[in-house]
Amino acid sequence: MNQNPPCPVCKEACSLLDVVDLNKSCEEARGKFLGLSGIPVYYALCGKCGFCFAPEMANWKLQEFEEKIYNDDYVAVDPDYIDVRPRGNAANLIAMFGDRALAIRHLDYGGGAGLLSDILKQSKWQSVSYDPFVDKDIRIEQLGKFDLITAFEVFEHVPDVHELMSNLYSLLSPNGLVLFSTLVSDGNIQPGQRISWWYASPRNGHISLFSKNSLAVLAQQYRVNFGSFSAGFHVFFTGVPAWADHLIRQG
Ligand SMILES: [Zn+2]
């Protein structure tokens, strides 16, 4: 394998940082160990922007992800993804925007089976769910433009960050925002140190690990503004519409 793969974010030549077993999962943080698969997964780290990624897995085809990651056993390593997380995220969005969001178009990008959107629609939101892994027959151009896009636990899963960014950009209205969650690696991944971070888990499909700086670099490349509310919750925005003013000022 290439020991100096180019950084998918900033194109700088990277170094391999560590190798972990494919079965390393986020549930190990809760004491659950799946045993070893015998399949090594290398992570490379960009010394310039801090992006950390699994170059070989990033080249997998969709089918390979379906067979090895997003299979029937996936729920065991991410028990919250079917119900708990969409419900929690929907409640947070409703609390965040209240009635301000009723007039805008919302897209939940990477929304799986669409539960988050369904809950928001019950609260009179105009919400659509789209997941590239689920809605394979839908072309992204068919969806239209959205004032608010949410992408919960999406960024760390994508093999191609530029495909994600250009998809989001093409879906975003000229005065809109993308609210997204992904845990940044700042303080958790360091050059010259083995990976011990629970979030760097190939079995969960966590193959793109962003530093805060690498998110800022992406924002610059796509000419969008960037802000973080916390280590795990961020925003890209093309404008500050009145309905989001309270949020952006706080971020
Ligand atoms: Zn980089």
Side-chain angles (χ1 to χ4, degrees):
M1 73 176 294
N2 181 358
Q3 293 185 359
N4 298 105
C7 174
V9 173
C10 76
K11 307 298 173 212
E12 184 83 356
C14 301
S15 310
L16 296 181
L17 179 69
D18 204 351
V19 58
V20 302
D21 189 86
L22 177 66
N23 268 356
K24 182 177 184 292
S25 94
C26 295
E27 285 296 290
E28 288 184 14
R30 300 192 222 186
K32 210 189 283 176
F33 178 49
L34 294 177
L36 298 173
S37 70
I39 301 168
V41 175
Y42 282 85
Y43 281 90
L45 178 64
C46 175
K48 195 174 174 194
C49 77
F51 185 64
C52 182
F53 60 106
E56 286 189 318
M57 266 179 87
N59 283 327
W60 282 11
K61 300 276 171 275
L62 183 62
Q63 194 192 344
E64 207 165 356
F65 281 103
E66 285 172 339
E67 283 168 12
K68 293 180 180 163
I69 304 293
Y70 307 114
N71 52 25
D72 292 343
D73 298 327
Y74 179 77
V75 68
V77 294
D78 189 7
D80 291 346
Y81 97 100
I82 291 175
D83 194 76
V84 175
R85 196 178 307 130
R87 281 186 198 285
N89 288 336
N92 286 341
L93 286 171
I94 290 167
M96 222 177 271
F97 292 105
D99 288 344
R100 292 183 185 90
L102 301 186
I104 64 169
R105 290 196 78 211
H106 167 252
L107 173 73
D108 188 34
Y109 188 99
L115 180 59
L116 172 68
S117 270
D118 289 343
I119 296 170
L120 291 177
K121 278 187 274 194
Q122 286 164 16
S123 293
K124 299 189 182 142
W125 283 48
Q126 303 169 54
S127 182
V128 174
S129 183
Y130 168 74
D131 193 313
F133 280 109
V134 177
D135 305 303
K136 291 178 214 158
D137 298 334
I138 296 178
R139 282 183 307 116
I140 202 151
E141 308 84 64
Q142 294 172 273
L143 294 167
K145 301 271 187 194
F146 298 87
D147 308 298
L148 173 64
I149 301 175
T150 49
F152 290 106
E153 303 295 297
V154 170
F155 276 63
E156 65 276 18
H157 292 266
V158 298
D160 184 341
V161 296
H162 287 290
E163 184 180 277
L164 171 67
M165 286 302 288
S166 64
N167 282 352
L168 291 173
Y169 193 80
S170 72
L171 291 161
L172 191 62
S173 83
N175 194 28
L177 49 145
V178 180
L179 286 175
F180 63 102
S181 73
T182 194
L183 201 53
V184 290
S185 60
D186 301 44
N188 293 302
I189 286 183
Q190 317 275 5
Q193 281 182 25
R194 304 294 305 251
I195 293 178
S196 57
W197 193 27
W198 65 274
Y199 202 66
S201 286
R203 185 60 190 85
N204 285 71
H206 289 187
I207 55 175
S208 292
L209 307 171
F210 293 85
S211 62
K212 202 168 169 181
N213 183 44
S214 64
L215 289 173
V217 170
L218 272 182
Q220 235 168 28
Q221 290 169 346
Y222 288 83
R223 300 203 174 107
V224 295
N225 302 292
F226 166 65
S228 280
F229 303 99
S230 68
F233 196 45
H234 322 278
V235 62
F236 288 137
F237 55 106
T238 48
V240 185
W243 53 267
D245 188 53
H246 64 298
L247 193 72
I248 298 297
R249 270 187 283 120
Q250 157 203 335

